[in-house]
Amino acid sequence: MQLLGRLEIKSKQKIAEFLNQEHVGRVCSIDKDGFPQIIPMNFIFLNDAIYMHSHTRGEKLENIKSNDKVGFEVDRELEFLPSYFTHPTDASQADTLYISVVIKGKGVIVSDKDEKTLALNGLMEKYQPEGRYEKLTRDMEVVNEVAIIKIVPHTMRGKYKIGQHMDKGTRSHIAGKILERNSPTSRETLRIMGFEITESGAKMVDEPNW
């Protein structure tokens, strides 16, 4: 329990930042036979709610209409830590650094044109930040041609493991191993962990506390 507490994201701002950095989330609804249906979706976290766009017909829409209790999950694997980072032969020492957010809430099919337009423009700003498009207005036909799913969170919990559960010496040792392994994500992982890359290796410059 003590470790779980240290892994919990307590900053709502950090949760919001993470949600709007990630491009894919998974929405879970309950189908007519009582089974969970999980679908990956583009999304925007806006005004304390999740918004997604969809075709106007589909199983997930029917699910939400008949049972508005839904789940939503977003995660990012930062770095796999091989077991040999900490022990030459013990496979149980393998670990993963990650960030995740899990939401339980109410699913709504948005009908208000202003809210639909707000969500669609929010999605465009997130996924096409360079612009080069005409902002949508409530009178455009496209607003009627898509469905907008809204999730109003009942609970929203985030977890992160970026080395904060380790003492400084162990964290620095792991950071050095991450830099040495040089995976495609290593430099970004080290930045999130609070390290910068110097000529002499990974140097701790911050102790992130979310």
Side-chain angles (χ1 to χ4, degrees), residues 23-65:
H23 276 209
V24 179
R26 282 155 286 277
V27 59
C28 180
S29 58
I30 304 299
D31 71 15
K32 59 183 177 59
D33 297 314
F35 288 100
Q37 182 190 48
I38 302 173
I39 299 177
M41 299 281 286
N42 294 140
F43 71 97
I44 180 76
F45 183 64
L46 185 65
N47 296 338
D48 294 325
I50 296 289
Y51 288 94
M52 298 162 280
H53 81 286
S54 168
H55 293 296
T56 55
R57 295 182 181 179
E59 188 177 1
K60 62 182 176 294
L61 297 180
E62 296 305 315
N63 292 346
I64 292 170
K65 289 174 184 176

Side-chain angles (χ1 to χ4, degrees), residues 21 76 78-79 99 162 178 183-195 197:
Q21 288 168 358
R76 185 199 309 174
L78 296 174
E79 203 76 31
I99 308 170
I162 60 173
I178 290 172
S183 74
T185 56
S186 61
R187 290 177 178 268
E188 175 63 8
T189 297
L190 290 171
R191 183 192 68 78
I192 293 171
M193 290 176 68
F195 287 82
I197 311 303

Side-chain angles (χ1 to χ4, degrees), residues 26 38 45 61 93 106 123 126 163 196 199 205:
R26 282 155 286 277
I38 302 173
F45 183 64
L61 297 180
Q93 297 299 308
K106 178 181 179 180
L123 286 162
K126 176 179 178 177
E196 67 176 23
E199 292 184 358
V205 294

